[in-house]
Amino acid sequence: MNEEQRKQQAQINQEANFDRIKNTSSDDMISKYFQTNYEPQSPDIKKARKRRKEDVQFHYDFSIPEDVATVGKGKKFLIRTYGCQMNEHDTEVMAGILTEMGYESTSNTEDADIILLNTCAIRENAENKVFGEIGHLKPLKLEKPDLIIGVCGCMSQEESVVDRILKKHQHIDLIFGTHNIHRLPQLIKEALFGKEMIVEVWSKEGDVIENLPKVRKGKIKAWVNIMYGCDKFCTYCIVPMTRGKERSRRPEDIIQEVRHLVAQGYQEVTLLGQNVNAYGKDFEDIQYGLGDLMNDIHKIDIPRVRFTTSHPRDFDDRLIEVLAQGGNLLDHIHLPVQSGSTEILKKMNRKYSREDYLELVRKIRKAIPNATLTTDIIVGFPNETEEQFEETMTLMEEVGFEAAYTYIYSPREGTPAARKTDDVPEDVKKKRLYRLNELVNKQSAESMRKYDGQTVKVLVEGESKKDPDVLAGYTEKNKLVNFKGPKSSIGKIVEVEITEAKTWSLNGIMVENTVEVN
Ligand code: 5AD
Ligand code: SF4
């Protein structure tokens, strides 16, 4: 196709797009999409559980097809990311692919030629935010018919979401799933030159795609995927359905990526997975788990190594022994507990009791006496009693968590818990969350007070959001520090004397001449 033909085709597409948006939600259209390129699939726990035996395929041959290699030249992209670090990192991959296709990034919606919403399905309010944004984008699409709007991430793995977009939001051009990210070039081509909404959501989930390009958000800290998916099937959680089965990247690929980041000057890596403690359990040829991986990364010359997210059930002695070596393996452990009640944990299918969790905490503290623990907690799980909630409150104190992400239970379609009747009124759940948050704030403030007058090591990330004359960074234990210091310390690890402890952050002054040369 020459330039002239391309323009004509684009014109035809624009008109088709325009008609499509004006005449939204025809059932005929929907059935056509289902037949052509979308096979409806509800999150189905029975099917999901059966998948574990399937082989994992590794693909090392990613490349951008020649016919779309320059399609983005002179055009801009914007990706809006919702949800967890996994999504943040997927956005870095999509940004990498788009950049290789010639697109440049923009933060201005009006300037964008392609807008992708990388969505989160973990709670209902996350989904509501995305539908709000989808609605807001409609006038822009009507104004700019050749704008491509795509929905990807966890929500696109849900049948009900795809149905709703097909029925009510015909201004969306493209829906693709979490297993289809590497297909972005082909999908954009189809969206650019086709007339229909493109839906490609693979339920196949056995693969690991290596060598995908990435444009990372900064030059100081980097995410590194070590595994994908989750086989834990906590009864409240949609993730095993949206992210597929557990599959680990090969150690040599991860280590090579970390070495590459070191060569580029990165100071910190966070190893990422939905349940990193299950790392390596799917290898058939080698016995190699998270402890072994951390041990190998410990030997690499990168100042800081973190990992998230942990599941207490799989947190083994080997990992504790390796973490106890310290050095670049930081002693902040995020260990989601979800509830302090053994009965609720059982209903959540967490596969540990309150006592098991406390025993794990004891083991960690014995091996790593200075370890800082943070957690995730859900309140108002179906039929949670006042006594069971109190057990969460006492566990919070007993462990001495220094921070916690707290949530009200949100029923997710397709999960076992969502089928339960629930006798706990919403306002009771809200009150419980409020009480828990008061305690979390109190414990966080107490943990911060310990630093008053102390000197801490801070990896300086940049200017503070509120005041460009103030710098901001994080301590080894992930405490936010705002301090006065030279801009030349950005990207380096410096010592800061703490002068004021607040509830969620520390203020301080940089100790002269402490810039570590790495
Ligand atoms: N409702 C509320 N919170 C949830 N989480 C996961 N699923 C749900 C749900 N259905 C929380 C858990 C998890 C965190 C990432 O989100 O605490 O650790
Ligand atoms: Fe969801 Fe985490 Fe449980 Fe997996 S381990 S099902 S991601 S809460």
Side-chain angles (χ1 to χ4, degrees), residues 343-359:
E343 290 110 43
I344 292 289
L345 288 169
K346 195 152 194 236
K347 288 186 182 170
M348 288 177 164
N349 190 32
R350 292 290 289 179
K351 301 190 175 89
Y352 56 84
S353 63
R354 176 192 176 98
E355 286 66 40
D356 295 335
Y357 188 92
L358 286 171
E359 178 53 30

Side-chain angles (χ1 to χ4, degrees), residues 2-3 11 37 48 68 86 99 107 153 203 274 276 284 365 413 425 449 517:
N2 65 30
E3 197 48 39
Q11 180 63 35
N37 43 19
V68 282
M86 196 62 77
T99 304
S107 50
S203 53
Q274 247 83 36
V276 285
E284 283 175 359
R365 291 214 195 282
E413 193 191 318
R449 266 201 296 281
V517 184

Side-chain angles (χ1 to χ4, degrees), residues 84 121-124 234-239 309-310 334 336-338 350 375-379 405-412 415 417:
C84 68
I122 201 116
R123 281 170 291 274
E124 195 186 355
C234 302
T235 54
Y236 52 81
C237 187
I238 190 83
V239 168
T309 263
S310 280
H334 186 68
V337 66
Q338 311 299 359
R350 292 290 289 179
T375 200
D376 291 351
I377 293 173
I378 298 176
V379 302
Y405 294 102
T406 57
Y407 311 99
I408 291 186
Y409 165 73
S410 170
R412 308 313 295 136
T415 60

